[in-house]
């Protein structure tokens, strides 16, 4: 016997109240008329009788009422069978709907096993159906209706999601917290080894939850798959493009597979590759013909197993022209332009073609040909040139200004229109330099604080720009990177130089990453990946300041976002494999490819030893010694030993005790009235 909520047993301490009341009971002294008390000697009356309990039956009944109330709330239970009573418990039927359940007849077998459990349950036993994949989707309420439960089970189909058995433990904890009855958790799955976590403790179920495993599928199912495809997300010169595909075999013999490259669903190359037994092999497609724009690419292998959905790997390549940037520097400063150009070529694979001019040559340049302009530590701009640059920015241009030692000698920052209030040479301080201490990680050019660790700033220009956003700040709260909007464009200010005299940033790898982020941000390019996995999220609002509507066109031709979501949602998870057309909130269009996680392609099940250990961890010691992994549901769910809640019996005894106490108490009061 045990207690589901033993804390309520503390209520048994209230039995002291009736005992105390019975001890305080005073005997009624009835007055008697007498002629004279002169002949009586005064005497102290003994209190012994007043402290003695007279009505034991009434006291015991009141104590029993309090004890039964505490016991009912504590919910006593026993294990085993109760004569004439069916065990009270909740059945939870979790059916695995991950991608691996597509293999063979695994899903049909799982549904058949779950339906057998529903058919064998007692009529008054409640049950609940859950689909378990990348998340636990509760398909029904806790029902007694076997027909409704069976309908929900029949409608479970395998998805493209990756399975995780850790979710089952979380489901068990959630259900145990919401119900006080014992839970019998049935899992119908192929028990894929890749679905188990590295730490076995993550699978532990709470007390009161018993796990029953129903394993479906063959012990070893051979499967070939396209494990990875390495393709560039952006291409400027197709002749230099390399697409590398890796074919993997799981529990497979040595075989030759034919690998085909598709560009916009048209064959663009084909190769044969010999894959060793349970091994891997790669092929390279060099210089395929890639048209301009967003291109749908795919690599597929000839299907030779029962799981053909992972024989194809989709990706997206964007071919475009390189953008042009203009770097403006002082006539005597050529090193800064070299640093900036080298960082661009290293980070962006020559995605940006950088032109370098001096401040005097800027007069004759056509700014409309450039995606962004960099003004590197200029001592000033002629009014006519500044006006032309300002008009270009307000029309939608992007500008970066670095303010080093030369710019700090002026009274204001041109175009950015911020008053210079001074400068600080940290080499004259005891610390000799300043460090970046605050980073707005939501601001794309700033990056993360960890990347700025170890960067030394020797010189900074201080400006008065209350309306500008600060993306980087030094330890003394001096802004290092600021931005302010100008019309339709943006102007950024780096309050130091891009050379080695004002900072040691060009000596660190962070300089390459920083310049790459600046170039992407200034040119308006979308940082994209050639391929994503099912379950990954796409950002529908790259610029949070834009409040437009977004849209998604799914591979099946549907629009999954309603009008409310289109105006509000920022990220959206990819539910299935295929190509998705995105209309971003800023009206730009994008194309993404989602693929099935290749962890699902390894159909090797977890060992029986691990599964028995998992099942035994949720059972009593007696059941654990005899625990096995079920291949089919038990013949009769109600015939098994289980936990029986005695709460109802405690309430019945409480009712009897209350009625008896009322009768005895009424008789006792009548006796007192008659004696009076």
């Amino acid at each position: 016997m045990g207690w589901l909520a033993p804390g309520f047993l503390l209520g048994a301490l209230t039995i002291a109240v009736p005992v105390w009341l019975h001890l305080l009971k005073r005997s009624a002294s009835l007055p008697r008329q007498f002629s004279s008390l002169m002949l009586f000697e005064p005497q102290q009356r003994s209190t012994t009788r007043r402290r003695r309990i007279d009505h034991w039956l009434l006291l015991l009944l009141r104590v029993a009422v309090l004890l039964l109330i505490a016991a009912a709330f504590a919910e006593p239970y026993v294990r085993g069978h109760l004569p004439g009573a069916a065990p009270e418990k909740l059945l939870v039927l979790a059916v695995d709907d991950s991608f691996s359940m597509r293999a063979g007849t695994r899903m049909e077998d799982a549904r058949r096993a779950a339906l057998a459990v529903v058919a064998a349950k007692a009529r008054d036993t409640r049950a609940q159906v859950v689909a378990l994949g990348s998340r636990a989707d509760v398909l029904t309420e806790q029902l007694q209706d076997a027909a409704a439960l069976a309908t929900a089970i029949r409608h479970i189909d395998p998805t493209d999601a990756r399975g995780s058995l850790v979710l089952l433990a979380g489901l068990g904890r959630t259900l145990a917290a919401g119900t006080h009855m014992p839970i019998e958790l049935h899992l119908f799955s192929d028990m894929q080894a890749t679905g188990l976590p590295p730490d076995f403790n993550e699978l532990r179920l709470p007390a009161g939850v018993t796990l029953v495993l129903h394993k479906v599928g063959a012990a070893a199912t051979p499967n070939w798959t396209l494990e990875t495809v390495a393709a560039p997300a952006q291409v400027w010169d197709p002749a230099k493009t390399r697409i590398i595909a890796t074919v993997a075999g799981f529990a497979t013999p040595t075989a030759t597979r034919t690998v085909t490259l598709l560009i916009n669903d048209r064959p663009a190359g084909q190769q044969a590759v010999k894959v060793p037994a349970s091994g891997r092999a790669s092929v390279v497609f060099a210089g395929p013909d890639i048209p301009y724009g967003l291109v749908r690419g795919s690599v597929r292998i000839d299907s030779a197993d029962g799981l053909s959905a992972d024989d194809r790997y989709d990706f997206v390549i964007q071919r475009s022209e390189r953008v042009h940037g203009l770097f403006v520097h002082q006539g005597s400063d050529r090193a800064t332009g070299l640093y900036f150009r080298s960082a661009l070529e290293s980070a962006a694979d020559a995605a940006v073609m950088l032109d370098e001019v001096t401040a005097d040559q800027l007069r004759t340049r056509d700014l409309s040909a450039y995606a962004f302009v960099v003004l590197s530590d200029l001592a000033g701009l002629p009014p006519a040139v500044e006006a032309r640059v300002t008009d270009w920015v307000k029309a939608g241009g992007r500008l970066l200004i670095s303010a080093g030692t030369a710019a700090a000698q002026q009274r204001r920052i041109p175009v950015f229109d911020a008053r210079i209030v001074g400068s600080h040479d940290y080499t004259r301080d005891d610390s000799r330099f300043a460090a970046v201490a605050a980073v707005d990680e939501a601001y794309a050019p700033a990056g993360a604080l960890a990347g700025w660790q170890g960067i030394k700033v020797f010189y900074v220009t201080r400006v008065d720009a209350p309306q500008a956003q600060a993306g980087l700040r030094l330890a003394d709260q001096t802004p290092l990177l600021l931005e302010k909007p100008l019309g339709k464009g943006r102007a950024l200010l780096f309050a130091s130089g891009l050379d080695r005299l004002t900072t040691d940033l060009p000596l660190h790898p962070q300089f390459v990453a920083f310049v790459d982020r600046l170039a992407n941000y200034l040119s308006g390019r979308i940082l994209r990946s050639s391929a994503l996995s099912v379950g990954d999220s796409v950002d529908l609002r790259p610029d949070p300041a834009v409040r437009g509507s977004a849209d998604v066109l799914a591979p099946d031709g549907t629009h999954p976002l309603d009008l409310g979501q289109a105006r509000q949602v920022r990220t959206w998870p990819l539910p299935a494999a295929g190509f998705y057309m995105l209309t971003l909130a800023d009206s730009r269009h994008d194309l993404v490819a989602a693929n099935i996680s290749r962890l699902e392609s390894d159909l090797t099940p977890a060992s029986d030893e691990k599964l028995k250990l998992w099942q035994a961890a949720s059972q009593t010691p007696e059941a654990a010694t005899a625990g096995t992994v079920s291949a089919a549901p038990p013949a009769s769910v109600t015939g098994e030993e289980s936990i029986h809640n005695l709460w109802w019996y405690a309430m019945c005894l409480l009712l009897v005790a209350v009625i008896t106490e009322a009768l005895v108490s009424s008789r006792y009061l009548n006796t007192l009235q008659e004696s009076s």
Side-chain angles (χ1 to χ4, degrees):
M1 181 174 175
W3 307 89
L4 293 179
F8 285 102
L9 292 177
L10 293 176
L13 298 177
T14 57
I15 63 174
V17 176
V19 174
W20 180 63
L21 292 176
H22 275 250
L23 288 175
L24 285 181
K25 176 184 67 64
R26 296 181 179 270
S27 300
S29 299
L30 300 177
R32 305 283 184 181
Q33 293 183 357
F34 201 77
S35 59
S36 175
L37 300 177
M38 296 177 56
L39 300 178
F40 289 89
E41 181 181 353
Q43 184 178 2
Q44 183 67 32
R45 183 180 180 184
S46 174
T47 61
T48 302
R49 179 172 178 80
R50 288 190 300 159
R51 296 176 183 174
R52 189 173 57 194
I53 297 176
D54 293 332
H55 302 278
W56 280 98
L57 178 59
L58 181 61
L59 174 61
L60 292 177
L61 287 173
R62 290 174 175 175
V63 170
V65 168
L66 295 175
L67 290 177
L68 287 172
I69 291 176
F73 277 95
E75 296 192 66
Y77 70 89
V78 295
R79 294 185 182 273
H81 304 281
L82 286 181
E88 184 182 3
K89 60 184 174 183
L90 173 64
L91 293 179
V92 179
L93 312 178
V95 181
D96 185 0
D97 66 350
S98 63
F99 172 76
S100 64
M101 296 294 288
R102 295 177 181 267
T105 61
R106 298 188 179 197
M107 180 53 72
E108 291 79 1
D109 295 341
R111 284 195 291 251
R112 189 182 305 111
L115 290 173
V117 173
V118 171
K121 80 175 187 69
R123 179 176 299 179
D124 58 348
T125 299
R126 291 188 294 168
Q128 192 170 31
V129 178
V130 178
L132 190 71
S134 60
R135 60 183 187 180
D137 292 325
V138 179
L139 303 183
T140 67
E141 300 292 336
Q142 297 178 7
L143 306 174
Q144 295 179 350
D145 187 357
L149 296 169
T151 300
I153 292 172
R154 292 189 183 98
H155 283 83
I156 299 178
D157 292 315
T159 64
D160 291 342
R162 179 192 171 189
S164 176
L165 297 180
V166 176
L167 295 175
L168 194 68
L171 174 66
R173 288 190 291 268
T174 302
L175 293 173
T179 181
H180 294 300
M181 69 176 65
I183 298 173
E184 190 170 281
L185 182 55
H186 292 254
L187 174 62
F188 307 87
S189 170
D190 56 1
M191 311 299 173
Q192 203 174 9
T194 55
L196 294 175
D199 187 359
F200 188 80
N201 289 324
E202 298 182 36
L203 294 174
R204 292 191 178 276
L205 295 169
V209 179
T210 303
L211 178 65
V212 181
L213 300 178
H214 304 260
K215 184 177 179 181
V216 298
T221 303
N223 183 44
W224 284 278
T225 181
L226 269 166
E227 189 174 40
T228 60
V229 172
Q234 291 183 313
V235 169
W236 298 273
D237 186 1
K240 299 180 180 179
T241 302
R242 298 291 184 272
I243 299 175
I244 305 173
T246 301
V247 182
F250 300 99
T252 55
T254 301
T256 300
R257 300 265 71 87
T258 301
V259 186
T260 305
L261 171 65
L262 303 175
I263 300 296
N264 286 337
D265 293 329
R266 296 181 179 179
Q270 190 175 84
Q271 297 184 37
V273 60
K274 185 176 182 180
V275 183
S278 299
R280 291 169 174 80
S282 299
V283 297
V284 179
F285 295 96
D289 184 16
I290 300 176
Y292 282 94
L294 293 169
V295 178
R296 299 172 183 239
S298 301
V299 177
R300 68 184 183 189
I301 59 175
D302 53 326
S303 182
D305 50 58
L307 194 61
S308 59
D310 63 350
D311 294 340
R312 179 184 178 114
Y313 196 101
D314 298 327
F315 57 91
V316 176
I317 296 180
Q318 183 180 28
R319 182 182 176 184
S320 60
E321 297 290 348
R322 295 182 175 89
V323 298
H324 289 258
L326 184 62
F327 191 89
V328 186
H329 57 82
Q330 295 283 5
S332 59
D333 180 18
R334 296 187 178 275
T336 306
L338 178 61
Y339 297 151
F340 199 87
R341 177 192 297 274
S342 300
L344 276 178
E345 293 176 351
S346 300
D349 191 23
V352 177
M353 298 183 64
L354 194 66
D355 295 341
E356 295 184 48
V357 298
T358 63
D360 294 335
Q361 295 171 336
L362 182 60
R363 300 172 182 269
T364 60
R365 285 284 174 167
D366 181 12
L367 300 180
S368 62
Y370 297 101
F372 63 89
V373 174
V374 179
L375 303 181
S376 177
D377 195 20
L378 300 183
L381 285 177
V385 176
E386 180 181 352
R388 193 159 64 89
V389 174
T390 302
D391 292 341
W392 172 77
V393 174
K394 290 182 178 180
R398 305 289 181 99
L399 177 68
L400 171 65
I401 304 172
S402 69
T405 55
Q409 306 307 316
Q410 310 302 311
R411 301 177 60 181
R412 56 182 290 274
I413 302 295
V415 184
F416 197 81
D417 196 23
R419 184 171 61 90
I420 298 176
V421 297
S423 60
H424 194 158
D425 187 356
Y426 292 98
T427 60
R428 299 181 180 180
D429 298 343
D430 294 337
S431 60
R432 310 297 293 178
F433 65 89
V436 176
V439 176
D440 182 1
E441 297 190 5
Y443 182 55
L449 179 61
W452 291 95
Q453 300 297 324
I455 305 298
K456 300 177 181 179
V457 178
F458 306 121
Y459 188 91
V460 67
T461 301
R462 293 177 172 172
V463 299
D464 181 17
Q467 298 180 351
Q469 173 189 358
L472 297 174
R473 288 184 182 272
L474 300 179
D476 58 3
Q477 296 303 305
T478 301
L480 182 63
L481 180 63
L482 301 99
E483 177 185 333
K484 63 187 299 187
L486 291 178
K488 297 181 180 180
R490 301 175 184 272
L492 281 68
L493 174 64
F494 186 69
S496 188
L498 297 173
D499 52 31
R500 296 171 53 184
L501 298 178
T502 52
T503 71
D504 68 345
L505 180 59
L507 303 179
H508 293 264
Q510 173 69 3
F511 184 64
V512 176
F514 181 51
V515 170
D516 183 41
R517 291 194 299 268
L518 286 172
N520 290 325
Y521 187 73
L522 294 171
S523 61
R525 291 191 294 125
I526 301 177
L527 292 179
R528 55 188 353 275
S529 175
S530 61
L532 300 174
S533 297
V534 173
D536 290 345
S537 295
V538 291
D539 191 355
L540 301 178
R541 302 179 185 277
D543 189 348
V546 178
R547 297 185 179 182
S549 294
D551 188 30
V552 176
L553 179 61
D556 58 1
T558 61
H559 295 266
L561 297 182
D562 58 31
L563 293 178
Q565 293 173 325
R567 290 191 298 265
Q568 298 178 1
V569 68
R570 175 168 183 177
T571 59
W572 187 74
L574 301 171
F579 292 100
Y580 293 80
M581 284 293 303
L582 308 179
T583 301
L584 306 182
D586 56 6
S587 299
R588 288 184 295 175
H589 297 280
D590 197 9
L591 178 67
V592 299
N595 291 282
I596 299 158
S597 172
R598 268 24 187 195
L599 292 175
E600 287 290 306
S601 298
D602 186 356
L603 301 176
T604 304
S607 65
D608 288 342
E609 289 74 15
K610 287 186 178 180
L611 296 179
K612 290 178 180 178
L613 179 63
W614 183 23
Q615 191 174 22
S618 65
Q619 296 176 343
T620 60
E622 298 81 6
T625 57
T628 59
V629 179
S630 303
S636 175
V637 176
T638 59
E640 297 178 352
E641 181 183 16
S642 58
I643 295 176
H644 304 276
N645 198 326
L646 303 181
W647 173 83
W648 174 252
Y649 299 95
M651 292 299 295
C652 291
L653 292 175
L654 175 62
L655 179 62
V656 173
V658 169
I659 295 174
T660 305
E661 190 273 343
L663 294 175
V664 173
S665 177
S666 176
R667 181 179 179 182
Y668 168 64
L669 292 176
N670 290 334
T671 302
L672 289 180
Q673 291 176 359
E674 291 175 359
S675 61
S676 62

